Amino acid sequence: MRAVPNWAVATAAAAPVVLVAGWTVAQVRQPTGYDPVRDTISELAGQDATDAWIMVVALVLLGCCYLSVAAVLHAAGLPSRFLLAVGGVATIALVAFPRPPVGGSLSHGIAATVAVLALALWPAGSALRLPRGRDWAHPGVAQPPWAFRRSVGLSATLVLLALFGWCAFEVTSGSRTGLAERVTAVAVSLWPLLAVLSARRAHLAWATGGTTSVGPALPGVVPPDPLRPAEGPDQLA
């Protein structure tokens, strides 16, 4: 199993930075009537936005960050990596369907919904394929990185889905749509970074002979790789 490369850590760390920097610079360029608590991020890349290219570039870079992490995060397993990649593609698709000056856009709404749902569900994808707890019948099996454990992955997805529900409520009947959208966008952009750091830490501990299983290490015996998927070798490794 290949280790998580340094550039993947940098790419995952860049995702929330690019997102926040993009909307911060873009909203400064808007007329005084723009309110980040009330108005959405999509309006910054809309057809009537001032210097819409700023947010367009930020969204494209953000989607590319998700795609890059999905390509190398083998510990997550193929279902989770697929969902993360779908989230990246849908994020880039947002710029292909900009919000019109008046009214909404069905295509833009679909792309935004797919992006948020995919990015909210992907933490649970790897958790659901794992046993509920330590396999006491096989105590030598290494535990997965903490971000890919069942309780952690499912909890992350529940939190992200709750934030998605908040966004849906604000869009339909609230007045803080921009705030809900920004909090949710930052939350979904942070989880890939936490997952990458978790996988990298587990692999470094394994590579340097850290404890990955129950019981004493035996001379000449290599402990199991914690990044190896539970059901078998990753076909893309």
Side-chain angles (χ1 to χ4, degrees), residues 15 20 42 57 62 70 103 113 148-149 157 162 190 208 212 216 220:
V20 175
S42 298
V57 171
L62 179 63
T113 301
F148 305 111
R149 295 173 187 173
T157 289
L190 284 174
T208 56
T212 58

Side-chain angles (χ1 to χ4, degrees), residues 110-207:
I110 292 174
T113 301
V114 170
V116 177
L117 280 179
L119 294 171
L121 292 173
W122 87 271
S126 57
L128 290 175
R129 65 187 175 87
L130 298 173
R132 292 184 179 276
R134 180 179 290 277
D135 187 359
W136 294 108
H138 303 88
V141 176
Q143 292 298 291
W146 67 266
F148 305 111
R149 295 173 187 173
R150 178 182 289 268
S151 59
V152 176
L154 293 179
S155 297
T157 289
L158 287 176
V159 171
L160 295 178
L161 286 177
L163 291 174
F164 174 76
W166 180 29
C167 281
F169 169 78
E170 293 294 342
V171 168
T172 56
S173 58
S175 60
R176 296 171 293 182
T177 306
L179 177 62
E181 190 178 64
R182 282 163 171 78
V183 172
T184 304
V186 169
V188 298
S189 70
L190 284 174
W191 190 252
L193 173 60
L194 295 177
V196 166
L197 291 176
S198 173
R200 183 175 177 84
R201 181 175 181 272
H203 190 274
L204 289 176
W206 169 77

Side-chain angles (χ1 to χ4, degrees), residues 22-23 32 34 49 52 54 62 68 76 79 90 93 98 102 106-107 111 130 135 186 188 203 211 234 236:
W23 82 47
T32 55
Y34 183 85
I54 298 175
L62 179 63
S68 299
V102 179
L106 178 61
S107 299
L130 298 173
D135 187 359
V186 169
V188 298
H203 190 274
T211 302
D234 191 330
L236 298 183

Side-chain angles (χ1 to χ4, degrees), residues 28-130:
V28 170
R29 299 293 302 156
Q30 304 313 306
T32 55
Y34 183 85
D35 183 0
V37 174
R38 180 195 64 222
D39 300 322
T40 66
I41 300 173
S42 298
E43 295 181 38
L44 299 174
Q47 296 177 0
D48 62 340
T50 303
D51 292 335
W53 65 268
I54 298 175
M55 200 64 227
V56 167
V57 171
L59 289 174
V60 171
L61 291 176
L62 179 63
C64 290
C65 288
Y66 294 147
L67 288 171
S68 299
V69 172
V72 298
L73 193 57
H74 301 281
L78 289 179
S80 284
R81 294 167 63 193
F82 174 76
L83 286 173
L84 181 57
V86 169
V89 172
T91 300
I92 296 174
L94 288 172
V95 306
F97 306 106
R99 183 167 176 171
V102 179
S105 167
L106 178 61
S107 299
H108 183 87
I110 292 174
T113 301
V114 170
V116 177
L117 280 179
L119 294 171
L121 292 173
W122 87 271
S126 57
L128 290 175
R129 65 187 175 87
L130 298 173

